[in-house]
Amino acid sequence: MRALFLDRDGVLNVLRPDDYVKNPDELEVLPGVAEALELCRKQFDRIFIVTNQQGIGKGLMTEADLEAIHRKLVESIGPIDRIYHCPALKREHSFRRKPNIGMALQARRDFPDIRLKDSVMVGDSETDMLFGRRAGMKTVLVGNNSTVATDQPHLVDYRYSTLLDFAQQWRS
Ligand SMILES: [Mg+2]
């Protein structure tokens, strides 16, 4: 089975530079995402979100805040098979925190029928590309972060402006 792994901030919702989405009011879903996911559900057997949320580790928000944010997100974009997050601080070097692949391995444990080599990671950062590459997935860069594609072209298999462009053009 094919899975689609999605980064959250900068892919599904507006990235808040040098800050975190700390409550549902700060969540701003990007245009076209609900439509994109509708298309993606036809091409992928499972859809996951994998998101680093060290705002929790820093004490800026709680697990309950994150749950409320994700409830609002799902209301807006439709069902997601599972949302994985890592609350650890960057400096803790958690195996769950991207670019480490703990969350991908967790998904494979939770859904043993998925094959990572047939799966795709979509993200907007080098961290996401490295995560996808290390987990053996195809990597898709979206958004305006062109430095990743320029500096680390070996990490980026495909590139699209938005998740909707990816969803409309992707053929597995
Ligand atoms: Mg991101």
Side-chain angles (χ1 to χ4, degrees):
M1 278 197 169
R2 275 193 291 269
L4 177 63
F5 288 76
L6 299 167
D7 172 47
R8 197 194 78 181
D9 299 317
V11 174
L12 304 179
N13 56 274
V14 176
L15 182 71
R16 309 185 85 235
D18 302 318
D19 197 1
Y20 305 94
V21 176
K22 301 179 294 300
N23 58 64
D25 288 341
E26 293 180 343
L27 180 76
E28 193 184 339
V29 176
L30 286 163
V33 167
E35 189 189 338
L37 287 180
E38 220 167 281
L39 294 169
C40 290
R41 284 185 198 101
K42 294 176 189 156
Q43 294 222 45
F44 294 92
D45 303 298
R46 304 282 185 200
I47 299 182
F48 305 118
I49 295 172
V50 282
T51 179
N52 288 347
Q53 293 297 329
Q54 70 166 341
I56 295 174
K58 289 181 176 177
L60 298 172
M61 55 196 278
T62 65
E63 292 280 346
D65 293 329
L66 189 70
E67 273 173 40
I69 291 161
H70 287 167
R71 267 197 303 276
K72 182 180 172 189
L73 178 64
V74 166
E75 272 169 28
S76 166
I77 68 174
I80 297 292
D81 288 287
R82 193 141 319 165
I83 302 177
Y84 297 96
H85 75 278
C86 177
L89 297 172
K90 189 175 181 183
R91 67 163 184 268
E92 293 175 76
H93 300 291
S94 166
F95 184 61
R96 274 185 75 85
R97 184 177 163 85
K98 294 179 290 184
N100 296 328
I101 63 169
M103 291 192 283
L105 298 187
Q106 181 70 49
R108 199 175 56 183
R109 276 195 297 277
D110 295 341
F111 299 87
D113 47 4
I114 64 169
R115 287 173 68 87
L116 292 176
K117 77 171 187 56
D118 298 328
S119 298
V120 176
M121 172 67 200
V122 179
D124 69 332
S125 71
E126 181 178 338
T127 301
D128 297 317
M129 299 301 96
L130 204 46
F131 167 85
R133 181 60 84 238
R134 287 176 174 174
M137 295 189 251
K138 295 182 190 75
T139 60
V140 173
L141 182 70
V142 297
N144 304 318
N145 192 347
S146 54
T147 49
V148 183
T150 318
D151 297 350
Q152 309 273 8
H154 58 286
L155 292 180
V156 180
D157 292 325
Y158 303 92
R159 199 172 161 206
Y160 299 90
S161 304
T162 65
L163 186 64
L164 185 55
D165 288 333
F166 160 76
Q168 286 172 337
Q169 293 168 47
W170 184 259
R171 294 293 171 268
S172 298

